[in-house]
Amino acid sequence: MTTIPVEALLRKKERFERGEDHRALEDPRAELLRLEEQGELVVQKIQGDVVTVPTKFGREKRIQKGHLWHHKSCGQCGHIPGYSTSIFWVMRKLGYDYHDPRDQTSCTAWNYYASATSNVAAQAAVAVRNFAAARETGYFPLVHCGTSYGHYKEVREELLSHPELRTEVRQIMGKLGKDLVFPEELVHYSEWFYAMRDEIAALQTRDLSGVRVTVHPACHYYKLVEGDAIYDPDVYGGQRTAVVTGLAQRLGADVREYSTWFDCCGFGFRHILVQRDFTRSFATMRKIEVMKEEADPDVVLTHDTGCVTTLDKSQFAAKAHDRNVGVAVMSEAQFAALAMGAHPYKVCQLHWHSADYRPLLEKMGIDWEQAWAQFQEGLKKLEKGEQRYLDWDDVD
């Protein structure tokens, strides 16, 4: 077997050509609609105002603006809660309604990617049950987690390709009293932010022109079923996914290049469970240190749960060994919320992050000490029993 050198693989990834063959292969929406006509499944259609965006091989993808069912991320809710609240806050500020469901389950991709012991029909049924729940509300699903998004794209490929799997899933769903439902488009939250970047920038209150940014594109967003990811000719010449970079540029930030942009953040699913030192070393030595040496960013922006967690929370170990680390890491949703005037603690909840974010806030013109004092005042009300929790009235 011939081994392809890493350098050759990287050269191959530097440039690709769009062609009719790719567009024909990467059109899952048409296949879903065809199967619906045959009675194989039910397609939840996009409704209302939409934004059309370009994908990697040329297919146009439609992003629904409002009336969205938020498929939340277990890792965001558990480790980076400001990630999810920033998504909700921005949507509220733009005036779009949404549904925050209580009957959503995990996508179970942890089982699939980390252990490789999953049952295909069970995996697909979990995805379909979530989509059936979304359809019952009338709201269109918007997926927060890049891994859920990538996993669901693979589930879709399997369902489209294997009639016997569709039969199994229909039988499972029948026991639940639900149909085999799949949305017309699988939409990741970062695609919504990219599609809405002009509306977000219109409500921007903070100047980001002096903020240096590096972007880590999430593997599970654009490397799994790659033709579904957004690529814009005006961003990287259409040669890399545009979602995070396009938003950061629209907000006026100084987006900078670095050589290891294609590398994984280090999370790797299996690695984070069984080789955590490898994960931390890769995250800091292949990503953070290279960014600092080549681009000197004020903040690293990314768009997946595992990427934010790994790039942020791996730095403490390298710092103990005097490595060249120490840069804030957050999602572009948190970055956009800050640009629009969101509270760094009540909304973005940056106190859950490990790397020092305070120099970034100062550069953005945010008095983090005053903001922290305001946050503490809110907590005192909770401690005294004056409130059960902070709500949107407390942060707007």
Side-chain angles (χ1 to χ4, degrees), residues 214-225:
T214 50
V215 172
H216 168 69
C219 298
H220 284 180
Y221 169 72
Y222 78 102
K223 292 179 183 177
L224 299 177
V225 192

Side-chain angles (χ1 to χ4, degrees), residues 25 61 63 74 79 81 89 117-118 162 185 188 213 235 248 269 278 280 316 335 350 358 394:
L25 290 171
K61 184 171 186 174
I63 309 296
C74 50
H79 299 290
W89 186 88
T117 61
S118 57
H162 301 286
E185 295 276 17
H188 187 241
V213 170
V235 182
F269 267 82
F278 174 82
R280 289 172 176 163
F316 81 95
F335 190 67
L350 295 180
R358 290 168 293 188
D394 296 305

Side-chain angles (χ1 to χ4, degrees), residues 5-16:
V6 173
E7 291 77 12
L9 287 173
L10 290 175
R11 284 195 297 272
K12 183 179 178 182
K13 292 293 183 181
E14 281 178 359
R15 185 162 188 83
F16 67 92

Side-chain angles (χ1 to χ4, degrees), residues 4 10 14 32 37 42-43 61 69 90 104 124 129 169 189 197 246 251 254 261 279 305 340 346 358 376 383 396:
I4 302 175
L10 290 175
E14 281 178 359
L32 281 169
E37 288 181 0
V42 176
V43 178
K61 184 171 186 174
W69 190 89
V90 170
Q104 175 217 323
R129 195 216 66 83
V169 174
Y189 88 87
R197 65 194 184 281
L251 293 173
D254 177 12
W261 64 270
T279 286
T305 311
M340 293 170 65
K346 293 180 181 181
R358 290 168 293 188
Q376 291 298 307
E383 292 172 354
D396 289 334

Side-chain angles (χ1 to χ4, degrees), residues 343-345 365-377:
H343 198 283
Y345 300 115
I366 300 172
D367 186 338
W368 60 265
E369 291 181 303
Q370 181 185 56
W372 183 250
Q374 293 167 346
F375 179 61
Q376 291 298 307
E377 285 299 314

